[in-house]
Amino acid sequence: MTAAAAQGPHRARYRRILSFASREFLKIWWFELVLPRFGLSSVAERTRARRMQRFARRFHTLAIELGGLMIKVGQFMSSRLDVLPPEITAELEGLQDEVPAVPTPQIRALAEAELGMPLERVYTWFDDTPVAAASLGQVHRARLSALDAEDTGLDEVVVKVQRPGIDEIVAVDLAALRRVARWLTRVRIVADRVDAPALVEEFAVTSLEEIDYLHEARSAERFRENFADDPRVAAPEIVWERTTRRVLTLSDVTAIKINDTAALRAAGIDPSAVADAFAEVMFDQVFTHRFVHADPHPGNIFVTPVPSTGSGTQGGSGTQGGFRLTFIDFGMMAEVSDNLRQGLRTLLIAVTARDSRGLVRAAKEIGVLLPTADTGELERALTALFARFGGMGFAELSRVDPREFTDFAEEFGDMVRRLPLQLPEDMLLLIRAVSLTSGMCSGLDPAFNVWDAAEPYAARLLRDESGTLMQDMAQQTMANAATTWRLPKRIDDIITRVDDGNVSFDTSRLERRLDRLEGIARRIASGVLFAAMLIGGALLVGPLPPLGITLLWVSVLPLLGALFLGRRRPR
């Protein structure tokens, strides 16, 4: 959708987003570009953190008022630690996807239009009170008709219905965001380190997938198949006959919320056992299935009690009840592609070898660092990091004073944010998943250590890749040996050609560069002479008017020389 298309009922929304962005750009332009030109960069630096916080608060307010994709934008920004300062990400971290519910008659009308029949024929009961309402859709409980229940073996279901008109709102929001991204490409301090249009397109892909419930249904089925033989994990079944792009019907798997520790203990379930199982399941998704639930917040994970003698996950002691982890909401999933897996492998090997240059190379391979990145300072920072923490096992790292990590992060955080650093979408979703997992597990068990949970998987990745690594090393060794074997003959050939007078060099490019340098030198000298004569003439106009005026007139000659000397001539 183009900007011209945003001229219908949502025109005011489009203009409000652009108006907000333009005001913020003016502030950035004034503080970051204008003030430093007048020697007031200290003012910009001193007020930067406070200005960033105020911007984040204003955007938070705008997102809540507009809803739609703006809440998703705020959540997306809160996770972009690679390109945004902590003052913004911290302020937007708590932005919740909670909005007033759509009146039930509107929801019923949309669902009936999508399903092609009155809801009374589709469901024997449809609860008018929503279970949850979000910016893109809302969820209602229902009961399948007798015929559908017999066909599917299901009875109680939940029905996820898109908010009416959300397609148009998403299109308008994306049109505004794309225009803002084009503006950002003209701001050098932003364009040098952030590919804003690419960021917006990444966000657009994720957003359009979230409002396509057929895509979510396919992801849910794939997730179920991945864990079909795993008694620790469950996922809802899809009622395909009652599912469209805007309506999703699936089995009701509601149980204890994973972060409700009081309810877990009341059911005889040890929260620390839940934390361990949850971490194992999340790392299985990353390293085994390579298809990861990227939004594992408490509202999307239930703990379902099962008999201790059954197939559920056993608690921490013989008196603890068994349980199963049930995942819902598969609109945001991360794929660990072959390219990403290869990059992670390179990254892991570089970390193991404490190779800062190799780590930077791995970051470029994954696509984290843009091609314009000057990595010298980053390599020095990584060298310092390895010197302090290199060689420590996960258990040792977990015993390091957290303040030491904080000090290191503060020391090098600004340097990293200055780099043209940008995480690919799948990598970002993966980091989000791991971050939410760590936070959730720490809430369930204060003694939980994500390092201990990750260590077996890291070791397995190295073990699985060891054969490939040995092949790579063997191929590199053979290539080096072949080069070494041919080297004496090639040197002898070059010496023979020199003796015979058959070696020639093309110096035209060097000559052109020398000519340019010579021209630049002439222009600099002329400029200095012009300034000296101009200032001298201005000073002498009062005491010695004839000499002063003469110098002012004669200063025109070196000025012309500075303007025209050394101009490149065609060759």
Side-chain angles (χ1 to χ4, degrees):
M1 178 177 181
T2 63
Q7 302 299 314
H10 301 296
R11 184 177 182 179
R13 179 187 185 90
Y14 179 82
R15 286 184 169 180
R16 188 172 176 191
I17 295 170
L18 293 187
S19 174
F20 176 88
S22 60
R23 287 195 304 270
E24 297 305 321
F25 281 160
L26 281 174
K27 292 170 187 173
I28 293 172
W29 172 77
W30 175 256
F31 281 97
E32 303 297 339
L33 296 176
V34 175
L35 291 185
R37 289 180 181 271
F38 292 96
L40 297 174
S41 56
S42 60
V43 175
E45 292 171 6
R46 190 172 61 250
T47 61
R48 186 173 293 122
R50 191 165 62 252
R51 286 186 288 111
M52 292 297 100
Q53 286 176 338
R54 283 202 297 262
F55 160 76
R57 291 193 193 108
R58 286 192 295 269
F59 183 85
H60 191 287
T61 302
L62 178 76
I64 294 296
E65 291 177 0
L66 291 182
L69 272 193
M70 289 299 103
I71 289 178
K72 297 294 181 183
V73 170
Q75 293 172 339
F76 183 76
M77 289 166 64
S78 73
S79 64
R80 296 309 309 223
L81 299 173
D82 53 331
V83 296
L84 293 174
E87 292 83 8
I88 291 179
T89 57
E91 182 66 32
L92 296 177
E93 203 170 30
L95 186 59
Q96 296 297 312
D97 193 2
E98 295 287 341
V99 294
V102 176
T104 303
Q106 296 180 33
I107 290 293
R108 282 179 167 272
L110 188 148
E112 289 176 350
E114 282 292 302
L115 298 173
M117 63 181 74
L119 287 190
E120 289 73 15
R121 288 180 54 191
V122 183
Y123 309 106
T124 59
W125 169 73
F126 185 90
D127 191 356
D128 287 343
T129 304
V131 178
S135 57
L136 303 182
Q138 63 189 48
V139 179
H140 293 255
R141 282 195 172 91
R143 190 175 296 117
L144 287 178
S145 67
L147 183 61
D148 284 344
E150 184 179 350
D151 287 343
T152 61
L154 301 174
D155 184 20
E156 303 290 337
V157 294
V158 293
V159 184
K160 189 173 179 179
V161 184
Q162 220 175 76
R163 292 180 81 90
I166 195 63
D167 280 341
E168 292 82 2
I169 290 175
V170 167
V172 168
D173 289 356
L174 288 177
L177 291 172
R178 286 181 173 119
R179 186 163 184 180
V180 171
R182 289 196 297 273
W183 291 351
L184 285 170
T185 60
R186 301 190 183 102
V187 182
R188 185 175 177 182
I189 59 174
V190 176
D192 282 350
R193 62 180 306 272
V194 179
D195 187 349
L199 275 183
V200 170
E201 292 311 317
E202 285 180 5
F203 176 72
V205 169
T206 304
S207 301
L208 293 173
E209 286 178 351
E210 277 203 70
I211 62 172
D212 182 356
Y213 290 164
L214 290 174
H215 179 272
E216 180 177 341
R218 288 190 292 269
S219 295
E221 285 224 326
R222 180 177 170 185
F223 186 90
R224 275 178 59 84
E225 290 170 4
N226 287 345
F227 288 97
D229 300 322
D230 192 332
R232 302 171 301 168
V233 183
E237 294 182 49
I238 306 300
V239 183
W240 284 103
E241 295 80 2
R242 304 305 176 205
T243 294
T244 70
R245 185 178 172 275
R246 294 181 177 84
V247 175
L248 174 61
T249 305
L250 60 164
S251 58
D252 187 353
V253 293
T254 308
I256 302 170
K257 277 192 175 183
I258 190 171
N259 65 339
D260 190 347
T261 54
L264 290 174
R265 290 192 178 95
I269 298 172
D270 182 3
S272 64
V274 173
D276 292 338
F278 179 54
E280 289 175 5
V281 168
M282 291 303 296
F283 281 118
D284 271 347
Q285 293 176 45
V286 175
F287 293 107
T288 303
H289 305 298
R290 296 162 65 175
F291 187 60
V292 186
H293 194 300
D295 197 22
H297 64 72
N300 286 340
I301 320 281
F302 294 115
V303 178
T304 306
V306 298
S308 298
T309 55
S311 58
T313 299
Q314 187 65 27
S317 70
T319 60
Q320 293 292 331
F323 60 87
R324 182 183 299 116
L325 296 169
T326 304
F327 288 73
I328 64 170
D329 194 347
F330 300 90
M332 191 183 297
M333 304 295 291
E335 293 256 13
V336 182
S337 63
D338 291 338
N339 183 58
L340 180 55
R341 182 179 173 87
Q342 176 64 23
L344 291 173
R345 166 182 171 257
T346 306
L347 196 74
L348 193 56
I349 291 169
V351 170
T352 305
R354 288 178 254 176
D355 177 9
S356 57
R357 185 167 297 177
L359 198 57
V360 170
R361 189 167 58 249
K364 288 182 176 178
E365 185 177 325
I366 294 172
V368 170
L369 284 171
L370 299 185
T372 57
D374 180 6
T375 58
E377 193 175 354
L378 177 60
E379 288 180 18
R380 287 190 291 275
L382 291 172
T383 300
L385 176 67
F386 286 134
R388 173 61 186 90
F389 304 111
M392 291 186 179
F394 288 118
E396 290 177 280
L397 283 171
S398 67
R399 290 193 291 270
V400 174
D401 187 344
R403 287 173 297 184
E404 193 167 351
F405 286 121
T406 302
D407 291 343
F408 190 91
E410 288 177 355
E411 184 177 353
F412 294 104
D414 290 339
M415 178 273 298
V416 171
R417 278 187 290 274
R418 286 197 304 269
L419 288 169
L421 182 71
Q422 189 163 299
L423 294 172
E425 178 68 8
D426 283 338
M427 187 71 174
L428 176 69
L429 292 175
L430 201 59
I431 291 172
R432 172 186 170 85
V434 173
S435 174
L436 287 173
T437 300
S438 179
M440 181 91 73
C441 292
S442 297
L444 290 166
D445 178 11
F448 177 81
N449 180 9
V450 71
W451 294 105
D452 292 337
E455 188 169 20
Y457 295 92
R460 189 175 75 189
L461 180 60
L462 277 178
R463 189 169 58 250
D464 291 347
E465 298 291 349
S466 60
T468 307
L469 177 60
M470 292 303 294
Q471 289 179 356
D472 291 347
M473 292 175 66
Q475 290 173 1
Q476 186 63 47
T477 301
M478 291 297 292
N480 292 341
T483 302
T484 305
W485 178 265
R486 293 192 300 268
L487 190 58
K489 186 176 185 304
R490 296 178 71 178
I491 293 173
D492 184 61
D493 289 344
I494 291 172
I495 293 172
T496 301
R497 292 175 65 189
V498 170
D499 287 342
D500 293 344
N502 293 328
V503 177
S504 61
F505 301 94
D506 181 7
T507 62
S508 58
R509 185 178 297 177
L510 179 61
E511 289 173 358
R512 286 196 297 270
R513 290 192 176 185
L514 288 174
D515 285 348
R516 281 202 301 271
L517 289 173
E518 184 180 348
I520 291 169
R522 289 199 195 101
R523 294 172 70 188
I524 290 173
S526 298
V528 171
L529 184 58
F530 161 71
M533 296 178 74
L534 181 68
I535 294 170
L539 292 174
L540 291 173
V541 163
L544 295 172
L547 181 57
I549 294 171
T550 302
L551 283 174
L552 288 175
W553 276 105
V554 174
S555 68
V556 174
L557 296 176
L559 174 62
L560 294 174
L563 292 175
F564 300 109
L565 278 178
R567 295 288 186 189
R568 292 184 61 183
R569 297 183 299 275
R571 283 182 170 267

